[in-house]
Amino acid sequence: MSDTLFNKYGGFETFSTIASNFYKKVLDSEKIEHYFRDIDINRLISHQTNFLAKALGGPDKYKGRDLALAHANMNISSEDFNEVVELLEEALEEAGVEEADILTILSAIGGLKEQIVML
Ligand code: HEM
């Protein structure tokens, strides 16, 4: 099976590196780090790795909550959402993911916006 983005880029090892690099950026971002102050980041890295893996055609090991539930009551704005997407884009670029595949991934993530952002 080499037909999924999950397999193309080396499976869990790669996506765990991407997730951990992504949260480093999140914690360095003045705009959004405050959301993550009391959060166990290692647990989040593991959930995010499994979430991305599943979304990109890999095995389903995601044991986190439903996205709408996980982000409820946080008052996340559209601007905050865009910041997270930008940081994810950087992490994907730094891992060597091709531009066309980054666009595919970001458009899938963009589709999750209404579950995450306060309307
Ligand atoms: C861009 C799309 C996003 C995706 C795919 C995503 C995905 C996830 C996932 C899979 C979890 C783990 C859920 C769990 O542990 O049960 C999570 C938790 C979390 N996310 Fe997001 N997220 C996104 C955007 C955002 C944004 C924009 C913010 C804030 C600026 C944010 C803040 C958080 C926080 C603070 C948690 C931890 C919640 C907790 O443990 O109580 N997320 N996210």
Side-chain angles (χ1 to χ4, degrees), residues 3-114:
D3 53 336
T4 64
L5 289 179
F6 176 78
N7 284 325
K8 176 171 179 180
Y9 288 106
F12 280 109
E13 206 175 310
T14 307
F15 288 99
S16 140
T17 305
I18 291 171
S20 105
N21 191 20
F22 163 69
Y23 281 114
K24 269 193 205 124
K25 293 173 184 296
V26 164
L27 295 179
D28 274 347
S29 165
E30 280 180 21
K31 282 190 203 157
I32 55 170
E33 63 81 20
H34 63 95
Y35 287 101
F36 297 86
R37 278 187 197 150
D38 296 322
I39 301 294
D40 176 351
I41 288 290
N42 287 326
R43 189 186 60 92
L44 202 48
I45 289 171
S46 156
H47 282 179
Q48 189 66 263
T49 300
N50 292 335
F51 184 86
L52 284 174
K54 180 183 172 191
L56 301 179
D60 181 1
K61 293 193 183 182
Y62 182 64
K63 300 271 185 338
R65 285 161 292 166
D66 168 80
L67 278 200
L69 207 63
H71 299 88
N73 307 319
M74 282 196 219
N75 277 323
I76 296 172
S77 67
S78 205
E79 209 183 327
D80 296 333
F81 182 86
N82 293 341
E83 170 78 356
V84 162
V85 173
E86 253 174 55
L87 297 177
L88 182 62
E89 180 176 12
E90 282 178 27
L92 291 165
E93 272 167 3
E94 285 165 21
V97 177
E98 291 163 25
E99 204 52 42
D101 293 332
I102 291 181
L103 290 178
T104 304
I105 295 169
L106 294 185
S107 104
I109 296 288
L112 303 171
K113 185 168 182 172
E114 62 177 27

